[in-house]
Amino acid sequence: MTAAKFFRGRVAATLEAVDQLCSQLRRGELVRIPQGERFAVELLLREALTNAVVHAAEADEVWCEVELLAHGIAVRVEDNGNGFDWRRHMRATSAAAGESGRGVPILRRYSSALRFNEKGNSVEAIRVFQQGDGNA
Amino acid sequence: MPSFETRREGERATLTPAGDVVASSVGELRPVMRDLVREGVREIVLDLGNTQMLDSTGIGLLLSGHNSLAQAGGKLSVIEASKDVLELLRTMRVHQHFDVSGRRA
C-alpha cells in the first residue's frame, strides 16, 4: 500500500478505465485512505469519472486528482469536452423512483463541498473524514 | 466466467452478481432482469453478497427492475448488502421503494 498523499493521472474516457483506476484506489495504490472512508472516497471518484465519461460532450481525455488533506480528501476530475448542465442535476432530489440522475446527488451527499466550473467539465469534491483522523 | 448467477424457483428468481454493480456491469444485468419479468417472474431477489461497490447507474438498474416488476404486480428486494452499500441505499432513499437488507452476522 502506498503512503502517497497525492495522485494525478490521465484516464481514458471509458468505463473500463474508470473501473481500473477505482480498483487501484481500492487496493491502496494511489493514496492512503482510512479504512472507514474507502467506500465513500471510491464512490466520489467513480461518480465524478463516470459522469465525465458518460455525459461529457465530445470528451476523449479525462484527468483526475486525489489529494489527501489534513482531515479529509479532495477528488478532482476534469475532461476536455464541452461540459454538461450540472445546475439541472444539482436541483435533482434523490427520493423519486426515476431510473437516472443520481450521480450528482450522490456527489453532493458524500462530499462536504462540491464545486463545478462554469462550463461543467471540471468538478472538485471535498470530503471531510467522519472518523476524525487521517490515520489509515 | 459469467458475471452473475441466476436461480429460478417458479415465479421467484434470485440474481447474484459476481462483483460490483456499476456503470460497466449494468449492461449485462439489465436484459437479464427484463427477460425474467417477461418470462413471468414476479419476485426478484438481488443478492449483493459479492458486491463491494454500487454506483448511481447500479441504483438506476435496481429502480428499473423495481418499476418493471411493480407494473407486473411483482416486487424486487435486495439482500446481503454490505454496510456501506446499505448506507448508500438508505442515504439515496432507495429503501423507500423496496426492501433492502444487510449481511447476516
Side-chain angles (χ1 to χ4, degrees), chain A residues 40-48 75 106-107 110-111 125 127:
Chain A
V41 175
E42 182 184 332
L43 184 61
L44 284 173
L45 180 64
R46 181 175 283 285
E47 291 294 347
V75 173
I106 284 176
L107 285 172
Y110 275 75
S111 62
R127 177 177 170 90

Side-chain angles (χ1 to χ4, degrees), chain A residues 94-102, chain B residues 59-60 63-64 67 97:
Chain A
S94 52
E99 296 168 14
S100 64
R102 282 178 178 74
Chain B
I59 291 176
L63 286 162
S64 169
N67 289 338
H97 301 291

